[in-house]
Amino acid sequence: RAHRRTDRDIRDAVSTPVGEPALRIARLPDDEDTRLLAELVSYSSDLTEAADALDAALEGGEGKPPWIALTGFAVVAYMRAFGVSNVRARLEDRFKVPAEFARLHELIRTYRNTTIAHSQSELVAPMAVAYLDESGTIRHVSDVVISQYLPLELVREFSRLVSAIIEIVETEADGIRSRLREKYAHTSAETIAEWAMPDFDAQLARDFTARTTRRPNSTFTAYWSVGVDS
């Protein structure tokens, strides 16, 4: 599996020895590289969500209660990187899906569109039914929904596909990180002091909203539950 950058990776990269001042962060100046790196890491975040969900599904086993929910979420998270967005290009506009996974990629796209995001495929069969007694007459009228989830074989291949795309994205991102480290390696503290800092805010959970649109220098808002037992 390709390496996936995690919060722990970032903590390890910026950790400081005991007794020394903690590292602070500054937002790098806006340019083509920093914008592209932010876009790439947003793809990587979506793909990592998909990979983690698939790992959890495979660990739990096919047919277990979380299987449908986890594989369905993985499909949504994966295709989010390839969907039309108001704030970034589609991933496939930047990178080509490896040929060995092209058919599977299109299958996952179709499954997302017809079954996960919308209910219109024959993989889900809702119907009214009658339960019959031994004489063949109706004893009870009810309903049933029969669903076909992603089979184990496809989920394993899907996991390989997601890992391959993560590796492509992270390879490109690593190159940009290297360029940015070289570009700003000798920048003075006085210059850095003039850079913008990341903008964070906090609100109560009752004020949660998803109606905002991300911008390059948006404020990140965390929503907290106060006085609520976990």
Side-chain angles (χ1 to χ4, degrees):
R1 175 181 295 281
H3 176 65
R4 305 199 296 264
R5 287 173 64 84
T6 64
D7 290 342
R8 182 174 180 178
D9 293 328
I10 297 171
R11 288 197 301 270
D12 290 345
V14 300
S15 61
T16 53
V18 175
E20 293 188 10
L23 291 176
R24 296 177 296 166
I25 62 173
R27 188 187 292 272
L28 290 173
D30 180 55
D31 63 21
E32 184 177 353
D33 274 343
T34 56
R35 288 193 297 272
L36 180 54
L37 181 58
E39 187 164 300
L40 291 174
V41 76
S42 74
Y43 298 135
S44 186
S45 176
D46 291 338
L47 295 167
T48 297
E49 288 183 4
D52 289 344
L54 292 172
D55 286 348
L58 290 168
E59 182 177 351
E62 183 181 21
K64 298 296 176 59
W67 182 268
I68 295 177
L70 289 169
T71 56
F73 175 79
V75 167
V76 171
Y78 173 76
M79 290 310 307
R80 192 188 306 144
F82 295 89
V84 176
S85 169
N86 292 326
V87 299
R88 67 182 184 187
R90 299 185 307 163
L91 182 55
E92 58 195 326
D93 291 336
R94 295 198 177 278
F95 304 104
K96 187 175 181 179
V97 174
E100 66 175 302
F101 294 113
R103 181 179 177 277
L104 176 59
H105 173 78
E106 289 305 317
L107 185 152
I108 295 299
R109 186 201 303 275
T110 301
Y111 181 60
R112 180 265 179 201
N113 290 342
T114 66
T115 308
I116 300 299
H118 308 280
S119 181
Q120 60 191 46
S121 81
E122 292 182 339
L123 293 174
V124 179
M127 63 187 76
V129 298
Y131 292 92
L132 310 179
D133 60 21
E134 294 180 356
S135 68
T137 58
I138 295 176
R139 182 173 182 178
H140 182 62
V141 171
S142 188
D143 47 77
V144 65
V145 178
I146 304 172
S147 301
Q148 171 61 58
Y149 48 73
L150 276 182
L152 176 61
E153 180 180 351
L154 283 179
V155 170
R156 286 173 174 164
E157 284 301 299
F158 185 21
S159 181
R160 291 182 57 235
L161 164 60
V162 175
S163 292
I165 302 298
I166 289 175
E167 185 170 8
I168 291 171
V169 172
E170 278 298 315
T171 298
E172 180 72 13
D174 280 341
I176 298 173
R177 293 180 189 112
S178 295
R179 288 204 301 270
L180 289 171
R181 279 193 291 268
E182 182 176 350
K183 179 177 181 179
Y184 293 110
H186 303 293
T187 305
S188 68
E190 290 76 17
T191 298
I192 295 173
E194 298 177 358
W195 294 353
M197 300 296 291
D199 195 5
F200 299 101
D201 191 15
Q203 300 288 340
L204 294 176
R206 64 170 177 262
D207 298 317
F208 181 88
T209 179
R211 291 187 175 276
T212 57
T213 299
R214 185 171 73 244
R215 301 183 306 278
N217 295 314
S218 288
T219 297
F220 177 83
T221 301
Y223 293 89
W224 297 91
S225 296
V226 178
V228 178
D229 293 334
S230 59

